C-alpha cells in the first residue's frame, strides 16, 4: 500500500487587507517533504498519524509539502500556483515510481486566491487527473470552510472538525486516515452525501444548543454501524465565495441513500437552531465597565475577548479600542493587574528589540492596518520582555506568535507580536513572563478558540464587539459572489424546497 500526503491550508477573509504570499506560509508552516515536525499543526494531524501507522502497519508513506498560513486576505495568485504545482509535481513523481493507492490532503477549506475562487477544488481536481478514479482521495477540513461542488465530486472522503474550539483536530486527522486505509483494504465502501442548509451562522460547540448537536453527531457515529462519518461545514462568512454557506456531510458504508438521509436529518437540526448559538456580545464601553465591576469581587481573572478583531478570522488583530477603554475606565484608587495579549505590530516589535529589554522609549503601536479598529497609541513604554520566537499551545500544536515583546505603561502590560495569532491558551502570557492567573483582567482577541483554555482560569468571560473589523453580519455585508438565497440574508430560503424549517 502506498499513500501520498500533502496540504495547503489557510482561511481567507476576502474582506481583509492582509495579502498572503509564500513568506506568510513560511512564517507559520512550510514543510518540504519529510520536514514536517513530529507534532501536528491544526490542519496536519493526518500526516503525523500516517507516519505512525505507516511504521506499525508497514505501508509506504510518501510525504509531499505541507503548509499553513495564518488567516488573512486573498492568497496571491503566484503563491497558490507555486505551492499547488510543487505538490502536483510530487504526486506525479510518487505515482510514477509505483502506483499510489491513496492520497490524503491536509486542507482547511476556506482558501481563496486571486483568480481562484475554489483553490482546494482546483488542487483536488488536478490530483484526481494525475492519479485516476481508482485512487482513494481523502481530506481533512476545518468547518469554517466552503464546501464546493468540485471538491465534493473529486474527493471520496471529507471529514471536518466537529468541535469549535477545534479541540478534536487530531481525532479528525486520524479519522480521515483510518477511513482511507480501510477503503484501500476493501473493508468499507464510503458513499458521501451533502445537504445544503441554505444559511450561514457561527456555531460555538462550547455552549448550547450546538453542544447537543455535536454530541448527537458523535453518538450517531458510535451507534450506527453504517455511518462512517458526520461533519458539519459551518461555512465562513468572511469569505465571499460562490459556495458560502452551512452544509452537512454524511459518509455511509455502501449506502448513498442512507448517507443522504442522515445529511438531511442533521442539516435540518441545524436549520432549526439557527440564530441561537452565539453568546451575548457587548459593545466596548459596557464590556470594559462590566469587567472592572466583576474584577473587584473576583478571585480569578476576568477575561474580555475581542470577538471580531480575531486574527483567526483573517483580520489584522491590531485593534486598540478595548485597550483605550481599559485606560480610560481604570480605577484611580485601586491597583489592578491588567494584561493585553496580543496586539499585532511587527514594526513596533522591531523598535523594541532595537532599544532592548529595560529601555524606556516613545512608541507608536496598534491600529495601523484597517479602519474601524481604533487609533494607533503613542505612549512612553517600558520594554519589559523580549522573545525572539514566542509560541502558545493549542493542544499538541505550538502556535507561532513570532518575535514578541511585553511593553508596560500606565500600569498595563501589553504583548505585541509579529506573527498574527489569536489567543488560544493562557500560556501565551506565561511565555512572555506574565502569570495570567495573577491578573485581574486579561484582554484577548479570539471568537471562541480561546474558550477551552481560558475558561479553566477565568471567573468571568465577557464577549466584546469592538469597532467593526470583520464582516460579522451577513445581512449588511456587501457580497459580490456569495449566494443571496441564504438565511439570514433572506428570511426563508427554504421556501418551496424540501428543507423547510420546523419552527
Ligand atoms: Zn475554524
Amino acid at each position: 500500500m502506498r499513500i501520498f500526503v500533502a496540504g495547503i491550508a489557510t482561511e481567507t477573509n476576502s474582506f481583509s487587507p492582509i495579502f498572503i504570499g509564500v513568506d506568510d506560509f513560511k512564517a507559520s508552516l512550510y514543510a518540504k517533504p519529510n520536514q514536517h515536525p513530529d507534532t501536528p499543526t491544526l490542519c496536519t494531524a493526518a500526516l503525523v498519524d500516517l507516519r505512525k501507522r505507516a511504521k506499525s502497519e508497514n505501508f509506504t508513506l510518501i510525504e509531499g509539502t505541507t503548509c499553513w498560513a495564518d488567516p488573512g486576505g486573498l492568497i496571491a495568485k503566484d503563491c497558490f500556483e507555486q505551492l499547488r504545482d510543487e505538490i502536483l509535481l510530487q504526486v506525479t513523481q510518487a505515482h510514477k515510481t509505483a502506483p499510489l493507492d491513496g492520497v490524503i490532503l491536509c486542507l482547511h477549506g476556506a482558501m481563496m486566491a486571486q483568480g481562484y475562487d475554489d483553490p482546494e477544488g482546483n488542487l483536488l481536481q488536478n490530483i484526481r487527473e494525475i492519479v485516476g478514479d481508482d485512487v482513494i482521495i481523502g481530506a481533512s477540513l476545518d468547518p469554517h470552510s466552503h464546501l464546493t461542488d468540485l471538491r465534493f465530486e473529486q474527493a471520496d472522503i471529507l471529514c471536518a472538525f466537529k468541535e469549535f474550539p477545534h479541540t478534536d483536530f487530531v481525532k479528525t486527522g486520524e479519522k480521515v486516515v483510518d477511513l482511507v486505509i480501510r477503503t484501500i483494504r476493501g473493508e468499507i465502501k464510503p458513499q458521501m452525501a451533502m445537504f445544503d442548509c441554505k444559511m450561514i451562522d457561527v456555531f460555538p460547540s462550547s455552549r448550547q444548543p450546538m453542544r447537543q448537536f455535536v454530541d448527537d453527531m458523535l453518538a450517531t457515529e458510535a451507534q450506527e454501524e453504517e455511518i462512517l462519518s458526520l461533519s458539519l461545514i459551518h461555512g465562513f462568512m468572511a469569505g465571499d465565495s460562490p459556495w458560502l454557506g452551512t452544509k452537512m456531510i454524511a459518509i455511509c458504508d455502501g449506502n448513498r441513500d442512507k448517507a443522504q438521509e442522515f445529511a438531511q436529518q442533521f442539516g435540518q437540526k441545524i436549520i432549526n437552531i439557527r440564530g441561537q448559538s452565539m453568546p451575548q456580545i457587548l459593545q466596548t464601553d459596557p464590556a470594559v465597565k462590566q469587567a472592572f465591576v466583576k474584577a473587584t469581587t473576583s478571585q480569578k481573572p476576568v477575561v474580555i475577548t475581542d470577538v471580531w478583531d480575531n486574527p483567526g478570522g483573517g483580520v489584522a488583530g491590531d485593534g486598540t479600542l478595548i485597550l483605550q477603554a481599559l485606560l480610560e475606565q481604570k480605577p484611580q484608587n485601586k491597583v489592578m493587574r491588567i494584561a493585553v495579549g496580543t496586539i499585532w505590530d511587527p514594526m513596533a516589535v522591531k523598535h523594541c528589540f532595537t532599544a532592548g529589554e529595560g529601555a524606556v522609549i516613545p512608541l507608536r503601536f496598534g491600529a495601523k492596518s484597517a479602519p474601524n479598529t481604533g487609533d494607533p497609541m503613542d505612549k512612553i513604554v517600558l520594554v519589559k520582555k523580549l522573545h525572539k520566537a514566542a509560541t502558545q499551545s493549542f493542544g499538541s500544536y505550538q502556535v507561532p506568535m513570532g518575535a514578541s515583546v511585553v511593553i508596560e505603561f500606565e500600569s498595563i502590560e501589553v504583548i505585541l507580536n509579529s506573527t498574527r495569532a489569536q489567543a488560544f491558551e493562557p500560556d501565551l502570557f506565561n511565555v512572555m513572563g506574565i502569570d495570567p492567573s495573577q491578573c485581574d483582567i486579561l484582554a484577548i482577541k479570539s471568537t471562541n478558540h480561546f474558550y477551552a483554555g481560558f475558561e479553566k482560569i477565568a471567573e468571568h468571560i465577557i464577549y466584546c464587539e469592538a469597532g467593526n473589523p470583520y464582516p460579522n453580519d451577513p445581512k449588511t455585508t456587501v457580497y459580490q459572489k456569495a449566494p443571496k438565497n441564504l438565511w439570514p440574508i433572506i428570511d426563508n430560503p427554504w421556501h418551496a424546497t424540501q428543507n423547510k424549517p420546523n419552527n
Side-chain angles (χ1 to χ4, degrees):
M1 182 163 65
R2 287 167 56 79
I3 297 180
F4 175 86
V5 63
I8 312 174
T10 188
E11 182 180 71
T12 301
N13 173 344
S14 57
F15 300 89
S16 167
I18 316 275
F19 244 83
I20 300 294
V22 174
D23 284 349
D24 297 288
F25 283 91
K26 286 183 176 163
S28 297
L29 173 74
Y30 175 73
K32 291 272 189 190
N34 308 311
Q35 312 249 303
H36 189 286
D38 293 334
T39 51
T41 68
L42 185 68
C43 297
T44 58
L47 180 145
V48 173
D49 187 51
L50 274 165
R51 281 182 182 166
K52 282 185 217 145
R53 292 195 60 167
K55 211 179 237 177
S56 65
E57 296 168 37
N58 207 19
F59 61 81
T60 305
L61 176 66
I62 303 103
E63 291 185 19
T65 298
T66 40
C67 53
W68 156 260
D70 282 303
L74 281 183
I75 315 294
K77 186 166 183 277
D78 286 358
C79 167
F80 170 63
E81 290 176 347
Q82 179 189 324
L83 297 171
R84 176 198 62 188
D85 293 350
E86 190 171 315
I87 290 173
L88 294 181
L89 185 65
Q90 292 160 348
V91 182
T92 306
Q93 283 168 348
H95 197 54
K96 211 186 266 176
T97 307
L100 292 168
D101 299 291
V103 171
I104 294 180
L105 294 177
C106 302
L107 302 178
H108 179 289
M111 181 159 57
M112 294 180 75
Q114 282 175 310
Y116 294 89
D117 286 340
D118 181 11
E120 292 92 337
N122 178 281
L123 175 68
L124 277 158
Q125 185 177 34
N126 275 291
I127 291 178
R128 180 58 82 194
E129 275 170 21
I130 294 164
V131 299
D133 289 340
D134 294 338
V135 172
I136 306 304
I137 302 182
S140 56
L141 295 167
D142 187 294
H144 301 113
S145 56
H146 310 291
L147 184 55
T148 72
D149 297 335
L150 183 61
R151 60 185 82 164
F152 182 78
E153 283 156 19
Q154 300 298 330
D156 300 290
I157 292 161
L158 295 171
C159 299
F161 316 141
K162 292 182 176 63
E163 303 286 350
F164 175 36
H166 304 325
T167 48
D168 60 337
F169 68 95
V170 172
K171 261 196 221 161
T172 308
E174 289 169 356
K175 176 132 205 155
V176 175
V177 169
D178 194 56
L179 292 180
V180 169
I181 290 176
R182 284 163 66 196
T183 309
I184 294 169
R185 289 180 178 150
E187 293 165 16
I188 51 168
K189 291 189 169 55
Q191 297 287 320
M192 190 160 67
M194 162 177 39
F195 177 79
D196 186 349
C197 302
K198 294 185 190 291
M199 56 179 276
I200 183 75
D201 202 351
V202 180
F203 302 105
S205 63
S206 45
R207 59 199 313 279
Q208 297 294 9
M210 196 54 192
R211 183 65 257 149
Q212 189 61 50
F213 179 86
V214 173
D215 288 342
D216 287 350
M217 282 199 289
L218 291 166
T220 304
E221 280 184 352
Q223 287 157 15
E224 295 271 340
E225 216 171 292
E226 276 184 303
I227 296 292
L228 300 173
S229 169
L230 293 170
S231 301
L232 180 73
I233 299 297
H234 298 192
F236 183 59
M237 62 176 67
D240 188 5
S241 157
W243 299 274
L244 176 77
T246 304
K247 288 163 196 177
M248 186 71 206
I249 305 172
I251 307 177
C252 206
D253 188 6
N255 188 340
R256 191 177 297 269
D257 290 345
K258 189 157 186 186
Q260 196 62 55
E261 196 184 299
F262 272 83
Q264 175 152 355
Q265 184 192 320
F266 275 85
Q268 190 67 54
K269 286 188 195 201
I270 281 295
I271 294 171
N272 295 338
I273 61 170
R274 69 193 184 282
Q276 299 169 28
S277 44
M278 280 299 278
Q280 189 197 18
I281 304 179
L282 299 177
Q283 296 288 314
T284 312
D285 284 337
V288 169
K289 188 174 174 195
Q290 194 181 93
F292 281 116
V293 171
K294 300 266 190 206
T296 52
T297 54
S298 296
Q299 303 303 310
K300 294 195 287 181
V302 174
V303 171
I304 312 180
T305 186
D306 195 345
V307 171
W308 301 119
D309 189 31
N310 165 18
V315 300
D318 68 349
T320 55
L321 288 164
I322 293 177
L323 174 56
Q324 184 63 42
L326 286 165
L327 287 165
E328 283 165 10
Q329 294 189 32
K330 195 159 52 82
Q332 300 302 315
N333 53 356
K334 190 171 186 303
V335 178
M336 282 204 172
R337 187 151 188 213
I338 301 170
V340 177
T342 60
I343 290 176
W344 179 62
D345 195 330
M347 190 191 284
V349 169
K350 192 164 178 286
H351 289 319
C352 293
F353 266 84
T354 307
E357 237 168 56
V360 176
I361 59 168
L363 188 69
R364 169 168 289 201
F365 64 92
K368 293 169 181 169
S369 303
N372 307 315
T373 57
D375 295 318
M377 291 214 161
D378 291 289
K379 298 287 177 191
I380 304 295
V381 307
L382 165 67
V383 180
K384 204 166 175 185
K385 168 120 184 130
L386 304 173
H387 196 309
K388 275 187 191 152
T391 59
Q392 61 176 320
S393 53
F394 184 49
S396 49
Y397 170 26
Q398 284 298 309
V399 183
M401 290 155 53
S404 302
V405 304
V406 178
I407 54 170
E408 188 181 71
F409 57 95
E410 298 167 40
S411 327
I412 292 188
E413 289 168 298
V414 177
I415 301 172
L416 304 175
N417 61 331
S418 51
T419 297
R420 291 177 310 112
Q422 69 176 301
F424 284 103
E425 291 277 347
D427 68 359
L428 81 87
F429 290 100
N430 299 97
V431 74
M432 296 306 298
I434 299 170
D435 180 353
S437 67
Q438 296 306 306
C439 291
D440 297 294
I441 294 179
L442 298 168
I444 58 172
K445 293 179 189 288
S446 174
T447 309
N448 202 53
H449 278 312
F450 74 96
Y451 190 86
F454 280 85
E455 66 125 11
K456 292 185 194 115
I457 65 156
E459 189 149 332
H460 296 284
I461 291 174
I462 298 167
Y463 292 80
C464 176
E465 183 168 41
N468 190 18
Y470 182 89
N472 61 305
D473 180 2
K475 274 174 141 169
T476 55
T477 300
V478 182
Y479 291 115
Q480 308 286 339
K481 297 175 180 171
K484 302 288 183 292
N485 60 331
L486 297 180
W487 180 89
I489 299 170
I490 61 169
D491 287 340
N492 185 6
W494 309 282
H495 187 65
T497 64
Q498 286 180 318
N499 46 331
K500 288 203 182 84
N502 284 347
N503 51 356

